[in-house]
Amino acid sequence: MTQTDTEKVTERGTPGRTRWGVFLTIVAVPTLVVAALIAVLVAWLFTDDSVAADVKKTSCAEALAFGGAKLPQGARDAWCGLEAGPEPRYTARFRMPRDEIDAWVAAGFPQGPALRTTQCGDAQVDACLNAGPVAGERASVQIDITHDSRKWSEVRFVAFTS
């Protein structure tokens, strides 16, 4: 059996010719992987890490009232949240004038206890307060105060049921 000219098929490519499909695949796959990693990194950088995934933003009036306190008049940069769970746990963070802290604590907790500067748990904390539920209140309270400067302090307030 003989083959005609039309039946002959050459399987060799032209010498010196690049197979662009293979080349583009080899270059495209790592490029797409790097692009995906950069996108994940950018998304991670712009997410709010300061809050756990199960914390829902709430009003500061509600959060502080749960522990028997009010947001001070001169407070700045306030953020408050409610942690999901079987028992409510409110968290508040804000800055306030340093010289108004004692009056704010005394107004919120007239029966005591007073702020203390020792045994606060964290070396960065300058003053703290731990109060169990007092008559008429339903929550325990933890307050940590860190002095940012001579005029301002950061307050972390947590109210939770025991």
Side-chain angles (χ1 to χ4, degrees):
M1 190 170 193
T2 62
Q3 290 183 340
T4 63
D5 288 337
T6 57
E7 291 179 305
K8 289 184 183 177
V9 178
T10 59
E11 294 188 20
R12 288 193 309 172
T14 312
R17 191 159 184 192
T18 305
R19 295 188 178 199
W20 287 106
V22 174
F23 175 75
L24 289 177
T25 302
I26 291 171
V27 171
V29 170
T31 303
L32 291 174
V33 169
V34 169
L37 289 174
I38 290 172
V40 168
L41 177 66
V42 168
W44 176 71
L45 289 174
F46 288 103
T47 56
D48 187 8
D49 301 351
S50 63
V51 236
D54 59 345
V55 175
K56 175 178 81 166
K57 189 172 181 178
T58 188
S59 76
C60 287
E62 176 184 344
L64 290 162
F66 189 77
K70 293 181 182 179
L71 191 65
Q73 289 288 355
R76 293 184 182 171
D77 304 327
W79 184 93
C80 299
L82 171 62
E83 286 185 33
E87 299 292 330
R89 180 181 174 93
Y90 287 91
T91 303
R93 289 188 313 264
F94 54 89
R95 295 180 67 226
M96 68 179 290
R98 185 173 176 174
D99 58 353
E100 296 176 14
I101 291 174
D102 290 331
W104 175 71
V105 170
F109 306 96
Q111 299 93 353
L115 284 174
R116 65 178 187 271
T117 57
T118 59
Q119 299 176 341
C120 289
D122 187 355
Q124 304 299 323
V125 174
D126 296 306
C128 61
L129 174 138
N130 292 324
V134 293
E137 301 296 327
R138 60 183 186 176
S140 296
V141 173
Q142 292 177 341
I143 300 174
D144 291 334
I145 298 170
T146 306
H147 301 308
D148 289 347
S149 67
R150 288 187 293 171
K151 293 189 177 198
W152 290 95
S153 295
E154 181 179 349
V155 177
R156 183 175 176 270
F157 178 95
V158 179
F160 56 95
T161 55
S162 302

